[in-house]
Amino acid sequence: MTDEYIISEIEKEYMLALLEQNKRVDGREVLQYRSLEIETNYIEKAEGSALVSLGDTKIIVGVKLVLGTPFPDSPNSGVITTGAELSPIASPFFESGPPSEKAIELARVTDRAIRESHCIDFAKLCVIPGKLVWILFLDFYILNHDGNLFDAAVLGSIAALATAKIPKVKVTGDEHEVLEEKVPLEIQHYPISVTTYRIGKKLLMDPTFKEERVTDMRLTFAFDEDDHIVSAQKGNKGVLKPDEVMPIVKQALEISKGLRKELMKALPSK
Amino acid sequence: MAGDGTEILIDEKGKRTDGRNLDQMRPISIKVGILKNADGSAEIRMGRNIIIAAVYGPRELHPKHRALPDRALIQCFYRMSTFSVGDRKSPAPSRREREISSIIANALNSVAFVEAYPRTTIDVYLQVLQADGGTRCASLTAASIALADAGIPMKGLIAGVAGGLINDTAVLDLNNIEDQKGSGDVPVGYSPTLDEISLLQLDGVFTIEQFEETLKLSLKGCTDIHKIQKEALKAKYIKIRDEVSVEVENLVGKTEIKEDIKEDIKEQDAKLTESTIKEDKEKKVEEPPLKAPKPVPEESKKEKVPEESKENPIQEPSKEGEDKTEVV
């Protein structure tokens, strides 16, 4: 099945003509994000969860914790596994089946932003060093695809992690028992992903699904609150001139600050 | 099984773990048209269950050799999210999920006019975001609404609910604990308007009498859910009608305003003249708002007199007609 939407020439030309005047079909500025809404604790049975809406893009994120054995090379730290599902619910161009390349890229880029920003302290997920640690499964399902999944996924993931709670574990010798009592998962850093898309020579952010079809280059950066870049990913087939990179990074960093404020506003206050 | 947990499941007053009576369902809320990309969609919340249904189609079927020459194929994909249950569920589709998918597809096949769309597929996606017992029935309820929302012609809506047996007592709509610790359940999919059962399963141990009683409870439950389904579908179209009517008013507002306000205008005019005569100086504050509508009525009045009598009767019945077709 064709998994790509083919945009009509007339629609494409209209979009490009508007962009020439720094305008967009929905009336936004070129670097303006759509409105962000986050509903946390959406799923009671998950240890943490969030339903994030960025315009018409909707993603549900859930955190599950499972006790397991640590990797031999990091006996004192917990494990995080990120999974993305491009559920066929979300778009007529998604099919059910094993994760597609796109889903894998989306999951891995999201994972990297969380992991590399040291967003959570993995040492605190350790229960018995070398033997028992919490494995944190961060799974998200796209419910409605209207572009910019990369940024929305990170926003939703951070929201789900920020509201997640870990059960306490009672350890006596080699025995352990999971208790009812739960403590909040501490968030050390709040990484924000900002993806810049390029159409011809114009840059824009937070494209809708149709805008995304016209773009030729995608460049994602994630930043922590101390202005560090914690991850980057160039996507799509388009190429990038060396002198294009730094202006994009600086612009993205500025945008990330505003987005973080939006995120913090949407999170329940502790 | 009767020995463990059963005494806790129903207390002396006949109340269940979540405070319900034996024949009481969990609260249900249904939202229609929640996903923009899908042709039809619905979200159902039944107790702690949260399920999203999306319908895509009728559309081309791949691989093509599976297409049916004389009707549409209904494919159903029931999936549980990894975080929907207590212990994380593996994301790979299980045998249980496949079976539920196929029985829901079969049920939907019985109400949809599949003959209208030969060689196509109608895909029904059911994503369980949170599961707390009875997800297959709630999924069926949501799926049939999503199908209607997608504009697929249907003979009727199907409502689903499970009856069950706890400690030899028939109860309606089992939650997760009751499902696991009770002694049996009977999921039922039923269309009250057609009086047809399109889904029926059973596991557990029932006597004939117990089965009959449980089935009766389930059917009654379905009839109640069917009302909620209809209301949910109506709610979407009432919302659209209201939005449209506002637009219509903006466009052709003048003609409509004439009839209703005509009499008011006369009254207002009368009042104005009265008030100006009697209390001209005291009520200065109230006068401005009264003045504002004045110019519009005056203009419209003159034009209306010949037109109104013809326009009004035509407009009103057409509105009613629209309502009825939408609801059906």
Side-chain angles (χ1 to χ4, degrees):
Chain A
M1 188 179 173
T2 48
D3 67 336
E4 275 303 320
Y5 174 83
I6 297 167
I7 193 161
S8 69
E9 281 300 315
I10 197 162
E11 220 173 345
K12 190 172 170 179
E13 276 166 25
Y14 177 58
M15 247 181 227
L16 294 174
L18 278 180
L19 269 177
E20 278 303 310
Q21 310 164 41
N22 290 326
K23 286 179 183 167
R24 289 166 84 168
V25 178
D26 55 9
R28 276 186 291 156
E29 310 270 325
V30 281
L31 302 182
Q32 192 184 347
Y33 272 67
R34 291 165 289 179
S35 67
L36 172 71
E37 272 175 49
I38 295 176
E39 202 175 323
T40 50
N41 295 323
Y42 197 80
I43 307 292
E44 291 167 58
K45 294 201 175 181
E47 271 76 36
S49 62
L51 177 69
V52 58
S53 310
L54 192 59
D56 280 328
T57 288
K58 256 187 188 194
I59 304 180
I60 183 144
V61 191
V63 172
K64 288 302 272 183
L65 289 163
V66 176
L67 282 172
T69 47
F71 288 116
D73 60 347
S74 56
N76 299 328
S77 63
V79 178
I80 180 167
T81 304
T82 310
E85 185 122 3
L86 304 183
S87 153
I89 268 187
S91 158
F93 309 105
F94 291 164
E95 282 184 274
S96 47
S100 63
E101 250 173 58
K102 281 185 199 166
I104 292 168
E105 187 190 14
L106 179 59
R108 288 184 56 83
V109 172
T110 309
D111 182 86
R112 222 179 307 154
I114 292 161
R115 199 184 291 270
E116 300 306 323
S117 64
H118 300 284
C119 164
I120 42 182
D121 185 356
F122 286 106
K124 287 191 177 159
L125 293 177
C126 178
V127 182
I128 307 172
K131 282 182 182 168
L132 197 67
V133 296
W134 284 111
I135 299 171
L136 191 153
F137 285 98
L138 180 80
D139 293 304
F140 51 90
Y141 294 76
I142 316 299
L143 297 183
N144 201 67
H145 178 16
D146 193 25
N148 202 14
L149 299 179
F150 285 86
D151 298 349
V154 172
L155 287 166
S157 301
I158 301 305
L161 288 171
T163 51
K165 294 194 167 92
I166 327 176
K168 280 193 170 178
V169 183
K170 192 175 153 191
V171 181
T172 38
D174 280 350
E175 300 286 306
H176 68 271
E177 185 194 345
V178 180
L179 304 174
E180 284 286 311
E181 195 190 340
K182 290 180 178 177
V183 288
L185 180 69
E186 264 178 58
I187 302 289
Q188 301 177 322
H189 298 285
Y190 290 84
I192 294 288
S193 158
V194 175
T195 305
T196 308
Y197 290 77
R198 194 185 58 201
I199 300 180
K201 287 182 177 172
K202 290 283 177 184
L203 299 177
L204 85 164
M205 286 178 179
D206 191 30
T208 61
F209 180 76
K210 280 188 178 172
E211 287 174 330
E212 223 172 64
R213 297 310 106 183
V214 182
T215 57
D216 54 12
M217 196 273 306
R218 182 186 81 219
L219 188 57
T220 304
F221 285 102
F223 303 95
D224 67 11
E225 61 273 18
D226 302 324
D227 297 355
H228 298 127
I229 302 173
V230 294
S231 82
Q233 174 93 347
K234 192 199 80 67
N236 293 4
K237 287 179 183 142
V239 291
L240 201 62
K241 292 264 163 55
D243 58 355
E244 281 182 286
V245 181
M246 287 324 288
I248 292 178
V249 173
K250 284 173 187 161
Q251 202 172 44
L253 175 62
E254 287 312 307
I255 297 286
S256 78
K257 290 175 182 170
L259 263 184
R260 188 175 292 106
K261 273 184 199 157
E262 289 276 308
L263 171 68
M264 302 311 275
K265 236 193 285 171
L267 289 179
S269 49
K270 282 177 184 172
Chain B
M1 279 184 96
D4 63 339
T6 41
E7 285 142 54
I8 314 158
L9 292 176
I10 302 175
D11 70 10
E12 295 157 2
K13 291 173 188 167
K15 297 276 183 193
R16 292 149 72 178
T17 50
D18 44 11
R20 281 184 290 155
N21 296 324
L22 299 178
D23 60 349
Q24 192 181 354
M25 284 188 293
R26 290 168 285 181
I28 298 174
S29 69
I30 299 170
K31 283 189 221 156
V32 181
I34 50 146
L35 301 177
K36 231 186 161 187
N37 287 343
D39 296 315
S41 59
E43 183 201 73
I44 185 167
R45 285 168 184 251
M46 190 174 192
R48 291 169 75 195
N49 288 317
I50 308 174
I51 299 158
I52 288 182
V55 170
Y56 283 92
R59 62 181 177 184
E60 206 177 334
L61 172 64
H62 295 275
K64 251 181 174 167
H65 67 82
R66 290 185 59 216
L68 307 170
D70 57 342
R71 66 202 131 100
L73 180 72
I74 294 187
Q75 301 190 92
C76 190
F77 304 89
Y78 166 98
R79 293 279 182 279
M80 294 185 68
S81 308
T82 53
F83 43 75
S84 62
V85 280
D87 294 328
R88 179 179 184 264
K89 189 212 158 275
S90 150
S94 64
R95 283 154 54 95
R96 175 181 169 275
E97 286 171 298
R98 286 175 187 217
E99 187 215 336
I100 292 177
S101 301
S102 88
I103 57 161
I104 291 177
N106 287 342
L108 295 174
N109 245 305
S110 74
V111 289
F113 284 102
V114 282
E115 309 81 14
Y117 309 103
R119 299 179 299 281
T120 61
T121 177
I122 298 168
D123 294 333
V124 181
Y125 298 102
L126 295 159
Q127 191 73 41
V128 179
L129 299 183
Q130 180 156 273
D132 193 40
T135 54
R136 75 189 66 190
C137 293
S139 296
L140 179 58
T141 306
S144 83
I145 296 174
L147 213 53
D149 184 39
I152 312 284
M154 293 161 80
K155 294 171 206 160
L157 291 169
I158 307 176
V161 71
L165 209 55
I166 299 171
N167 207 8
D168 292 340
T169 311
V171 296
L172 183 59
D173 188 21
L174 300 179
N175 63 27
N176 197 30
I177 308 162
E178 293 171 337
D179 194 16
Q180 283 170 7
K181 297 193 175 170
S183 41
D185 71 325
V186 185
V188 172
Y190 172 68
S191 175
T193 46
L194 304 169
D195 195 28
E196 283 174 358
I197 294 176
S198 46
L199 183 151
L200 180 63
Q201 294 185 300
L202 181 148
D203 60 296
V205 184
F206 290 76
T207 65
I208 302 293
E209 292 77 23
Q210 283 169 344
F211 172 69
E212 195 183 356
E213 197 188 340
T214 314
L215 185 63
K216 218 186 262 175
L217 262 185
S218 305
L219 294 180
K220 198 195 152 284
C222 287
T223 312
D224 292 342
I225 293 174
H226 184 255
K227 288 175 196 153
I228 302 172
Q229 282 179 306
K230 276 203 297 192
E231 287 308 312
L233 267 175
K234 267 191 210 170
K236 180 188 165 179
Y237 290 102
I238 287 170
K239 205 180 155 198
I240 291 174
R241 188 192 64 194
D242 291 348
E243 281 168 13
V244 171
S245 67
V246 170
E247 278 173 36
V248 169
E249 261 175 41
N250 291 339
L251 287 172
V252 274
K254 281 178 187 171
T255 53
E256 285 196 348
I257 291 166
K258 285 173 193 170
E259 338 151 6
D260 297 7
I261 294 183
K262 198 185 168 188
E263 287 184 11
D264 294 347
I265 295 161
K266 283 181 184 171
E267 283 177 26
Q268 278 186 9
D269 285 355
K271 276 182 191 172
L272 267 175
T273 46
E274 278 176 27
S275 60
T276 42
I277 294 163
K278 289 176 184 172
E279 303 158 340
D280 49 348
K281 283 175 187 175
E282 290 174 354
K283 287 203 172 178
K284 268 178 189 172
V285 194
E286 283 181 25
E287 278 174 11
L290 287 173
K291 274 177 185 172
K294 222 182 171 182
V296 185
E298 277 174 356
E299 286 169 17
S300 53
K301 241 181 169 182
K302 290 166 193 169
E303 297 164 13
K304 279 170 198 171
V305 185
E307 289 168 20
E308 272 174 78
S309 52
K310 288 174 190 173
E311 283 175 25
N312 303 337
I314 301 165
Q315 281 177 353
E316 281 173 27
S318 71
K319 264 187 182 176
E320 283 171 16
E322 276 169 28
D323 292 359
K324 277 170 194 168
T325 48
E326 280 170 356
V327 171
V328 171

